[in-house]
Amino acid sequence: MINYQRRKTHQVFYGDVPVGGDAPISVQSMTNTKTADIDKTVKQIEELVVAGCEIIRVAVPDMKTASCLSRLRERIKIPLIADIHFDYKLALEAVKQGVDGLRLNPGNIGDFDHLKRVAQKAKEAGIPIRIGVNSGSLEKKLLKKYGSVTAEAMVESALSHISLLEENGFNDIVVSLKSTDIWMTLKAYSLLAKEVDYPFHIGITEAGTVWSGTIKSALGLGSILTAGLGDTVRVSLTGSPVEEVRVGWQILRLLDLRQRGPKIISCPTCGRTNINLIKLAEDVEKAVKDLDKSITIAVMGCVVNGPGEAREADIGIAGGKNEGLIFKKGKLVKKVKEDRLLKELLLEIDKM
């Protein structure tokens, strides 16, 4: 890795998962079920855990939902964060229910005294609070001061709420500064990094659909991470939260910041390709998507770059005419007919 230096931060714990300091950059997501539907929410969280989710956040829109959080918490194996908007009483109840963390948007809690009460209860419970500053919900006085939403306004908002928590002796803080604009988000994190040493939860909010949002998140999170600023990530997609987790891991994996599951390399098709490379690559990706092996798999279409790339990978295929060669650690394993390639490749992966 070239000149990567991660920002040094204070460390907090969501349950047994550390965030900040020298802890690995964690991947989290948020359920899109009705939280009070415990069975359905647990089922989705279990699916997210298989995909690699390490921290989960749930919406807490009302007291009925807040009062069932303990039943949810006892049925899952990863830390639970309660996402609170507007009503501080929901935060107090969530703490009482035994959640592992709170996410508050101070801009819409309203009363600073209410935030103080929440901070006191969180401190007693030993759980972190994430101050979630969002470009879409900045305080009116800051919008008036800066004339519009800016990175500077987001940072000023964060600092004011950080100060409030610090005045109450509360320091287990995580901060997020999310905008749907990549440049604004990057600037905001860069500015705040000069002011505080609290860990950063990073993301590009309202990134879009699975296709467009993945591209936008990769650009935004990649920029922030390569600047050494992220401690935990959440990819925000209009789609399944399972896809959020997979994209988050892919971003970290491709930056060599975390390793989990296989890395797939495949070549673009061209006129030299003699096998159905597009379908084969898609089938391989689908077949190994939840595989918990940190290996590189090459799916190459012809003899120009194929054999070399396949040899460099832990295992790979180099296509020929209606057939393919399977390589493992640079050594030829077998020649296989095209209709057997996927099955034989997976058998060889299982042996590794």
Side-chain angles (χ1 to χ4, degrees), residues 188-221:
Y189 280 117
S190 299
L191 289 173
L192 188 60
K194 299 175 183 178
E195 304 292 334
V196 299
D197 70 346
Y198 294 117
F200 286 165
H201 167 122
I202 63 172
I204 303 298
T205 192
E206 300 154 4
T209 62
V210 172
W211 183 80
S212 62
T214 292
I215 297 170
K216 191 170 187 177
S217 295
L219 288 169
L221 293 178

Side-chain angles (χ1 to χ4, degrees), residues 39 56 59 68 75 89 99 118 131 167 183 193 219-220 223 227 263 269 291 298 300 306 317 321 324 333 342 350:
D39 289 340
I56 190 63
C68 73
R75 290 181 58 183
K89 293 178 183 178
V99 298
V118 174
I131 294 175
E167 288 169 9
W183 290 106
L219 288 169
S223 299
K263 181 189 296 184
T269 58
L291 184 67
M300 312 305 292
I317 296 168
K321 189 172 184 179
V333 175
L342 178 62
D350 284 339

Side-chain angles (χ1 to χ4, degrees), residues 72 96 141 189 230 251 266 350 352:
L72 175 59
K96 182 180 177 181
K141 65 178 182 179
Y189 280 117
I251 292 170
S266 60
D350 284 339
M352 296 175 67

